[in-house]
Amino acid sequence: QVQLVESGGGLVQAGGSLRLSCTMSGRTFSSYAMGWFRQAPGKEREFVAAISWNGGSVSVGNSVKGRFTISRDNAKNTVYLQMNNLKPEDTAVYYCAASSTGVTSRSDRVDYWGQGTQVTVSS
């Protein structure tokens, strides 16, 4: 049984930072590209960032480019999302995603989802 467990969400003031973590169990972590999506109330799920199985390829969404960084540690079966200079519009539930088809910004190409972690940025 595959599990993606996110942690690190919370409440932060605008301009602050958070680091999200997502740990996979039940599958070979290094077989998957990993990514992050987010969904704000009343909005569609939005691509944030993705990273290839070995970290050699990275894709970042335009709305977070230059502020968010994705990385992974295959020895720990964990992917990270470092979020800097947070803005109120970054407020959303952040979902970890695993894809066997490579780096993707498409939610329909995600094989597994985490349960989500709330990030709230106050102004």
Side-chain angles (χ1 to χ4, degrees), residues 20-43:
L20 305 183
S21 300
C22 170
T23 300
M24 174 185 274
S25 61
R27 287 291 186 274
T28 302
F29 181 69
S30 59
S31 295
Y32 293 86
M34 300 297 297
W36 292 92
F37 292 73
R38 68 186 182 184
Q39 189 164 19
K43 296 189 176 181

Side-chain angles (χ1 to χ4, degrees), residues 10 14 16 23-24 33 62 64 67 86 94 100 102 106-107 118-120:
T23 300
M24 174 185 274
N62 288 334
V64 303
R67 300 186 297 121
L86 282 158
Y94 283 71
S100 59
R106 293 177 51 170
S107 59
Q118 177 70 47
V119 171
T120 303

Side-chain angles (χ1 to χ4, degrees), residues 22-77:
C22 170
T23 300
M24 174 185 274
S25 61
R27 287 291 186 274
T28 302
F29 181 69
S30 59
S31 295
Y32 293 86
M34 300 297 297
W36 292 92
F37 292 73
R38 68 186 182 184
Q39 189 164 19
K43 296 189 176 181
E44 292 187 354
R45 193 165 292 193
E46 176 190 17
F47 169 72
V48 176
I51 187 167
S52 62
W53 71 274
N54 64 352
S57 178
V58 170
S59 178
V60 181
N62 288 334
S63 61
V64 303
K65 200 164 290 184
R67 300 186 297 121
F68 290 13
T69 303
I70 188 170
S71 61
R72 66 188 293 160
D73 185 339
N74 286 352
K76 296 182 178 180
N77 295 344

Side-chain angles (χ1 to χ4, degrees), residues 3 6 18 44 56 58 65 73 77 79 85 87 92 109:
Q3 277 196 310
E6 299 109 331
L18 283 175
E44 292 187 354
V58 170
K65 200 164 290 184
D73 185 339
N77 295 344
V79 61
N85 190 22
K87 304 176 181 181
R109 292 187 175 176

Side-chain angles (χ1 to χ4, degrees), residues 5-23:
V5 179
E6 299 109 331
S7 61
L11 174 64
V12 64
Q13 288 188 333
S17 297
L18 283 175
R19 187 175 82 156
L20 305 183
S21 300
C22 170
T23 300

